[in-house]
Amino acid sequence: MTTYNEITKTLLENGAKELYRFQGHNSFECYDIRNNRFNNNKSHYVYFSSSKNHHYYFTIKRLRQLINAIVLNDTHYKITRKGLENPQSFHAIQNMIFNSDKIKDLNSISLVCDQVYYALIKENCIDTRKKIQDSGIERVDRKVFGGGYGITGPWLDLFNDLTYFSSHTRITTLDVLEFLDKLKQKGIQANPLLIKDILERKQRHYIISENLYNDFHKYSIMNDLERIYQENLYVSGSSFMTNPTKTIKKVLTTYQTNRNQILHNLDKKYHSIGL
């Protein structure tokens, strides 16, 4: 296990939260994998799963959409129970997937963020059926494997600033073909097990956020929090409304404590190998 993976494991054991995102096909590429940071576009809501099972469920949903709408577009083939059970149709679909140039840049992304951030979005989210304000936090799929959150604006900036580590796993054409075979065996459904084994057998390598090395990064976090408060991007009765100063102080204190511990653990590891 790498040093970053070890530290991430400890963070999660001590309360940090891991959020997940499928990116590719018609999902907005909000996360710049190469540069390990968000591309914040205020015109977009960016959606994250709060559990692995919801992430797997959503990934299955997106893969089926990709195959039907893009790979099999303008053909008479579709991902249906009847189509998969027919050997000729199944073989034809396999060939079209294998030869398609549309299955690319598909990624399963995980982001390890400060526990205080997750507490804030849980407290300030609004069900999509009741949401009336722009730039608030959307709560989606509440009844499906824990659901997820839609985030934009200053809340997305804060997510970026309070994320410690990230990782990603590519979903390849061979992965999609294996997924198709599982669909054939298990039937058309959105059971997380259809994609779980495919994603979890791949080794995830976590990358550290460069923000942790910046002594002045706390001011960016403070600015995010002040914008959220000034733009009223919180729900009535939340800690932002009842005691904004205490809320901002708590976030900054928790971040500084976790940052110091992460850097201390990295330094200890560095010296343990005699450098």
Side-chain angles (χ1 to χ4, degrees):
M1 184 180 290
T2 66
T3 298
Y4 291 163
N5 283 41
E6 289 176 3
I7 293 175
T8 297
K9 184 175 182 290
T10 301
L11 274 173
L12 293 170
E13 288 172 349
N14 291 331
K17 178 65 177 177
E18 193 161 22
L19 298 177
Y20 308 90
R21 175 169 173 77
F22 172 85
Q23 191 162 282
H25 177 31
N26 64 345
S27 296
F28 171 56
E29 293 190 9
C30 79
Y31 195 76
D32 183 343
I33 292 172
R34 177 175 296 178
N35 295 307
N36 191 29
R37 64 170 292 109
F38 291 94
N39 293 319
N40 193 352
N41 185 324
K42 290 188 177 181
S43 66
H44 287 273
Y45 265 86
V46 183
Y47 294 90
F48 302 90
S49 296
S50 63
S51 71
K52 281 187 177 180
N53 277 344
H54 183 270
H55 174 56
Y56 299 150
Y57 154 82
F58 190 78
T59 299
I60 290 168
K61 184 177 178 180
R62 281 288 183 260
L63 289 179
R64 286 179 59 186
Q65 288 176 348
L66 169 63
I67 295 170
N68 279 330
I70 304 298
V71 178
L72 304 180
N73 189 36
D74 296 328
T75 76
H76 65 276
Y77 296 106
K78 292 293 178 186
I79 299 297
T80 64
R81 183 184 296 276
K82 184 178 180 180
L84 296 181
E85 288 176 349
N86 182 291
Q88 184 177 357
S89 296
F90 183 71
H91 184 64
I93 293 171
Q94 282 181 310
N95 283 337
M96 281 184 276
I97 290 173
F98 183 78
N99 293 306
S100 176
D101 61 356
K102 307 295 184 182
I103 300 175
K104 58 183 180 180
D105 300 326
L106 306 179
N107 287 282
S108 165
I109 298 168
S110 66
L111 300 155
V112 178
C113 65
D114 197 303
Q115 58 265 43
V116 75
Y117 178 77
Y118 187 63
L120 282 176
I121 63 172
K122 283 177 66 178
E123 184 184 33
N124 290 280
C125 64
I126 301 172
D127 192 291
T128 50
R129 295 167 296 182
K130 302 175 183 177
K131 182 175 175 291
I132 56 175
Q133 70 185 86
D134 292 330
S135 300
I137 301 167
E138 291 185 350
R139 186 73 165 95
V140 297
D141 291 341
R142 186 185 292 270
K143 296 182 179 180
V144 184
F145 303 113
Y149 297 90
I151 307 171
T152 190
W155 280 108
L156 190 58
D157 288 334
L158 185 61
F159 190 13
N160 184 60
D161 288 335
L162 289 177
T163 292
Y164 299 127
F165 292 91
S166 67
S167 72
H168 76 279
T169 295
R170 277 193 65 221
I171 300 173
T172 67
T173 298
L174 292 179
D175 294 331
V176 176
L177 285 169
E178 183 177 345
F179 164 68
L180 184 72
D181 192 55
K182 287 180 180 291
L183 276 180
K184 179 184 178 183
Q185 294 175 29
K186 305 294 183 181
I188 301 296
Q189 54 181 304
N191 189 322
L193 293 176
L194 291 173
I195 200 74
K196 178 181 178 180
D197 292 343
I198 296 172
L199 294 182
E200 291 195 356
R201 69 166 173 255
K202 300 185 178 191
Q203 179 65 45
R204 283 189 181 271
H205 296 288
Y206 287 89
I207 305 170
I208 195 169
S209 170
E210 292 187 359
N211 291 330
L212 287 165
Y213 301 123
N214 183 355
D215 289 338
F216 302 101
H217 184 62
K218 58 191 175 184
Y219 301 125
S220 294
I221 297 171
M222 184 170 65
N223 182 61
D224 298 336
L225 292 162
E226 289 175 345
R227 285 174 60 209
I228 289 169
Y229 179 70
Q230 290 168 2
E231 296 176 29
N232 299 315
L233 301 177
Y234 52 84
V235 301
S236 177
S238 73
S239 57
F240 260 117
M241 171 177 277
T242 59
N243 201 329
T245 301
K246 182 179 178 181
T247 299
I248 292 173
K249 183 178 180 180
K250 179 181 179 181
V251 173
L252 292 171
T253 300
T254 303
Y255 170 77
Q256 284 294 99
T257 299
N258 284 332
R259 173 183 182 253
N260 291 341
Q261 188 61 54
I262 290 168
L263 295 179
H264 171 74
N265 289 340
L266 285 172
D267 199 47
K268 187 166 66 174
K269 180 71 172 182
Y270 178 83
H271 290 296
S272 73
I273 57 178
L275 295 173

